[in-house]
Amino acid sequence: MVMRVGGLASGMDIDSIVKNLMTAERMPLDKLKQKKQVLEWQRDDYRSMNTLLLDFRTELTQMKLTTKYRARTTTSSDETKVSATATSAASQASYSISEVKALAKAENWVTGSIGSVDGTKELAAQVPGFTKWLDGAVGSKTLTQKGTDPLSLGVDAGTIQEAEFAKMSVKVNGVSYQMVGLGDTFDSTKNQAKIDKDGNITFSHTIEPNSTVKVDYISVAQNGEKYADFSIAAKSSKGDVKENFLISSTETLNQVVNKVNSSNAGVSMFYDTVTNKISLMQKETGDFNEGNGNLSVAGDFAIDVLHLDGAAKTLGGNAVFTINGLETNRPSNTFDMNGVSITLKKTFDANEGAATLSINNDGNAVYDNIKSFVDKYNTLIGAISSKTSEEKYRSYTPLTDDQREQLSDKQQEQWEEKAKSGLLRRDSILTGVLTNMRSNFSQPISNSTTDPMFKQLASIGITTTANYLEGGKLEINEAKLKEAINNNPDAVEALFRGGGDSSVASEKGIVHRLYDTVNSTMDKLKERAGNTFSTNQQFALGRQLSNIDSSITRFESRLVQVEDRYWRQFTAMEKAIQQANSQSNYLMQQFSM
């Protein structure tokens, strides 16, 4: 540390002198900092351009999809009979439904009277005639599989009633598992589970970590607990399902109904307090058991309390109809046929007149998709053209700290606006992508799916604007484009997205060409300016910034040394003057004696 003596002997303002000297010494450092600032601005400008290209590439990804060119409209000659919607996969066609003999219906059971039951009170008090309660306590727990070890219910050893395992229920992530005895062998092709007397659960295959396992079990009665059981088996479009229900004597009828309705049995049950009857209905329409009924029940509670065994049954049935002369059936009144979702609304015969469905191309929707794409392209072109043609104000350099102190906030903002302008003027990467994209649009396309009459965008009414200053923006002849879409939609689609698998540029559709061009440009911009996740060593400007940072660090160390040298020199001068003054005073004293 240099001891600084500030003008006590000489009377000079040493602080100001050193400060002024250091101002001159710092000029190269200010230049380095200004250069760093310019590079950071350039980096940010490149990244903003890359973001615009990324957004456009997302649009190009969407334009590769057939849904952008195959929008469909559907019309029905009689909406009261039949309606329809169509996906882009539907071909242009017409369907005539001449007869609907039957609509699909769900299986429904209605019992006789089960007696007056208060749904909010315990069942044991509500059904005194039911004598088949069994000794045992009903428990229910939800566990999480955290590893490969067997799950444990956490009950006292020996409390689970192993003999009643078939009545218990285990679900993994909502999927029911078949219960098997401890002595039985697992079938690894099926979802099976075992519970031993200590409450340990094992499965026929490994359960994924963090799986949710819900277990309804029966344990040894401690305080006179009673239970009963019943099950519902259902055949459906998803296959066969069986649900076991354990009913505690202390539960209410409302709780039982909720158990059934929230289960995977796919049924809806309710108790009517006016007629004292139970209704059980399958949620899905259709016949899945060749006319033998989709639902079946078992268990004393289902038979002796709910009286489901004697219920009046309306079996599920399929919709039966004739379409384009073919009589067929479906389990649902809404079904898919070649990408068309058809809904049958009522029965009618041939004498009432057919309902005709027409599937046509939605030209307006396709036009809107293409117009939106062109608008986004023009926005991108405008942004890049504007950035590469910005005026460069060479006299406006980044402000130094001293310069900022002399300007107001508004003046600083105005100065920086000009200092940032033109940093990407005539940039080779950006001007190159403009040139390449214009070439992508203008070059003819020739592949196996392209119509000879539609090889360029101009043939469908999309051309470059006459104003060359707009950098190659596109304009649309609406009438011509709509005519092409309506008369030859396949050719329009091929022009944009055909030849996607080809490695020959002339065979690729416009969207694929543009995608390749944009992708290549984004890679170049990333190589030059990186992204927010890049380190400085991963892109060119970043490496320059690191070099400048190193130069700044070295220069700042040198400035400290220079400033110390100045102070040492001035301190030495002050000491010399002080010594001279002391000698002069001594001599004067000698002459005066």
Side-chain angles (χ1 to χ4, degrees):
M1 182 68 179
V2 177
M3 185 179 68
R4 300 179 175 183
V5 180
L8 295 177
S10 64
M12 299 168 62
D13 187 354
I14 303 300
D15 283 333
S16 296
I17 294 173
V18 172
K19 184 177 180 180
N20 290 334
L21 289 170
M22 291 307 299
T23 298
E25 294 285 352
R26 290 181 190 277
M27 290 180 64
L29 178 62
D30 290 338
K31 295 291 184 183
L32 284 173
K33 290 183 176 181
Q34 288 173 323
K35 185 177 181 180
K36 178 182 177 181
Q37 181 64 80
V38 169
L39 289 176
E40 288 176 340
W41 286 340
Q42 281 186 323
R43 177 200 63 195
D44 295 343
D45 280 351
Y46 277 127
R47 289 181 180 180
S48 65
M49 292 294 101
N50 221 0
T51 299
L52 292 175
L53 288 168
L54 176 61
D55 291 342
F56 186 63
R57 188 178 69 176
T58 301
E59 176 67 15
L60 290 171
T61 300
Q62 294 299 311
M63 290 300 291
K64 289 182 179 181
L65 304 177
T66 57
T67 53
K68 291 290 185 177
Y69 312 94
R70 301 181 189 178
R72 299 290 187 249
T73 59
T74 61
T75 56
S76 172
S77 62
D78 191 339
E79 289 279 349
T80 65
K81 295 178 179 178
V82 183
S83 64
T85 58
T87 67
S88 61
S91 58
Q92 297 185 65
S94 63
Y95 300 93
S96 176
I97 299 178
S98 56
E99 183 179 24
V100 177
K101 289 184 178 180
L103 290 176
K105 58 184 179 181
E107 184 160 333
N108 187 45
W109 295 12
V110 177
T111 70
S113 174
I114 68 170
S116 178
V117 178
D118 186 338
T120 64
K121 294 183 178 180
E122 291 185 2
L123 285 167
Q126 298 286 301
V127 285
F130 182 60
T131 61
K132 296 181 180 179
W133 293 109
L134 302 174
D135 291 334
V138 174
S140 181
K141 286 191 177 182
T142 299
L143 310 171
T144 300
Q145 176 74 329
K146 295 183 178 180
T148 58
D149 295 334
L151 279 175
S152 175
L153 287 172
V155 297
D156 292 337
T159 61
I160 301 298
Q161 293 197 35
E162 290 182 82
E164 305 296 343
F165 74 88
K167 301 175 183 178
M168 301 183 197
S169 170
V170 172
K171 294 180 182 178
V172 179
N173 296 329
V175 177
S176 295
Y177 274 57
Q178 177 188 350
M179 302 301 298
V180 299
L182 287 177
D184 296 334
T185 302
F186 278 134
D187 183 345
S188 60
T189 64
K190 297 179 180 179
N191 292 332
Q192 295 180 336
K194 299 178 182 180
I195 303 178
D196 66 21
K197 62 183 179 180
D198 298 329
N200 297 314
I201 310 167
T202 54
F203 301 92
S204 57
H205 53 78
T206 302
I207 302 300
E208 292 294 325
N210 299 317
S211 293
T212 299
V213 180
K214 186 177 184 300
V215 185
D216 294 334
Y217 59 92
I218 306 167
S219 60
V220 176
Q222 299 294 322
N223 300 301
E225 295 100 337
K226 303 287 185 179
Y227 81 95
D229 75 295
F230 82 99
S231 63
I232 297 177
K235 294 182 179 294
S236 68
S237 62
K238 298 178 181 178
D240 294 348
V241 178
K242 184 179 180 181
E243 287 285 302
N244 294 336
F245 303 99
L246 296 176
I247 312 301
S248 172
S249 60
T250 59
E251 287 186 279
T252 67
L253 183 60
N254 288 348
Q255 289 174 313
V256 174
V257 170
N258 288 336
K259 277 186 177 181
V260 172
N261 291 342
S262 61
S263 72
N264 293 330
V267 296
S268 177
M269 186 171 79
F270 71 88
Y271 168 71
D272 180 38
T273 57
V274 174
T275 61
N276 299 329
K277 295 180 179 181
I278 293 284
S279 171
L280 180 70
M281 185 176 72
Q282 192 169 21
K283 295 177 182 179
E284 186 177 18
T285 61
D287 174 15
F288 302 100
N289 198 27
E290 299 180 352
N292 295 315
N294 299 330
L295 302 177
S296 62
V297 298
D300 294 333
F301 190 86
I303 295 170
D304 295 342
V305 176
L306 302 181
H307 301 315
L308 288 170
D309 61 325
K313 301 177 182 178
T314 301
L315 300 184
N318 292 342
V320 181
F321 57 98
T322 301
I323 182 168
N324 288 3
L326 172 68
E327 183 173 308
T328 185
N329 66 86
R330 294 292 188 278
S332 172
N333 292 315
T334 298
F335 54 90
D336 181 83
M337 184 168 285
N338 300 328
V340 181
S341 178
I342 300 174
T343 299
L344 306 177
K345 296 184 175 180
K346 69 178 183 179
T347 59
F348 59 92
D349 59 33
N351 295 327
E352 298 177 60
T356 302
L357 299 173
S358 297
I359 316 301
N360 298 300
N361 194 46
D362 188 350
N364 289 332
V366 176
Y367 172 82
D368 290 340
N369 291 337
I370 294 176
K371 184 178 184 301
S372 175
F373 164 70
V374 170
D375 289 343
K376 289 177 181 177
Y377 171 78
N378 286 341
T379 299
L380 175 68
I381 289 294
I384 295 177
S385 296
S386 175
K387 181 58 68 173
T388 56
S389 60
E390 277 183 344
E391 186 68 29
K392 176 68 174 176
Y393 300 95
R394 300 189 181 280
S395 58
Y396 286 82
T397 57
L399 293 169
T400 64
D401 293 338
D402 290 339
Q403 289 172 333
R404 286 183 182 278
E405 293 177 359
Q406 301 171 24
L407 300 176
S408 66
D409 290 344
K410 183 65 175 177
Q411 288 173 326
Q412 291 179 37
E413 181 181 342
Q414 292 172 338
W415 183 283
E416 285 198 348
E417 183 178 343
K418 283 186 163 52
K420 290 180 178 180
S421 178
L423 295 179
L424 300 185
R425 181 177 176 83
R426 297 173 182 170
D427 180 78
S428 60
I429 297 178
L430 297 177
T431 55
V433 71
L434 292 177
T435 301
N436 290 336
M437 286 195 292
R438 286 194 291 268
S439 176
N440 293 153
F441 277 111
S442 62
Q443 290 181 354
I445 297 168
S446 178
N447 57 56
S448 58
T449 59
T450 307
D451 189 303
M453 298 296 293
F454 296 94
K455 289 190 174 184
Q456 290 180 298
L457 281 181
S459 60
I460 62 172
I462 302 176
T463 57
T464 304
T465 60
N467 186 354
Y468 75 94
L469 295 176
E470 292 187 327
K473 288 186 177 182
L474 302 175
E475 59 184 2
I476 297 176
N477 182 324
E478 181 176 344
K480 192 172 182 179
L481 177 56
K482 286 186 174 180
E483 180 184 4
I485 292 171
N486 292 326
N487 295 338
N488 203 338
D490 292 340
V492 172
E493 179 181 343
L495 185 62
F496 279 93
R497 60 175 295 273
D501 297 330
S502 176
S503 59
V504 181
S506 62
E507 295 181 357
K508 290 186 176 183
I510 289 167
V511 170
H512 295 290
R513 292 178 180 179
L514 286 171
Y515 190 92
D516 292 343
T517 296
V518 169
N519 224 27
S520 174
T521 302
M522 289 179 64
D523 288 342
K524 292 177 182 177
L525 290 177
K526 184 178 179 181
E527 184 179 339
R528 179 168 293 184
N531 56 35
T532 53
F533 303 105
S534 302
T535 64
N536 278 353
Q537 295 305 313
Q538 292 176 317
F539 58 98
L541 290 181
R543 290 188 287 273
Q544 292 183 47
L545 286 169
S546 293
N547 291 336
I548 291 177
D549 282 336
S550 297
S551 297
I552 289 174
T553 300
R554 290 194 300 271
F555 203 90
E556 286 176 337
S557 296
R558 177 180 172 278
L559 287 178
V560 171
Q561 295 172 357
V562 170
E563 187 173 12
D564 286 344
R565 176 167 56 83
Y566 281 138
W567 275 106
R568 282 196 299 269
Q569 291 173 338
F570 281 108
T571 299
M573 181 190 72
E574 288 292 327
K575 289 180 178 179
I577 293 174
Q578 179 71 30
Q579 186 176 2
N581 287 340
S582 297
Q583 292 174 348
S584 176
N585 289 335
Y586 174 75
L587 291 173
M588 290 296 293
Q589 290 175 1
Q590 295 299 320
F591 287 130
S592 62
M593 289 178 62

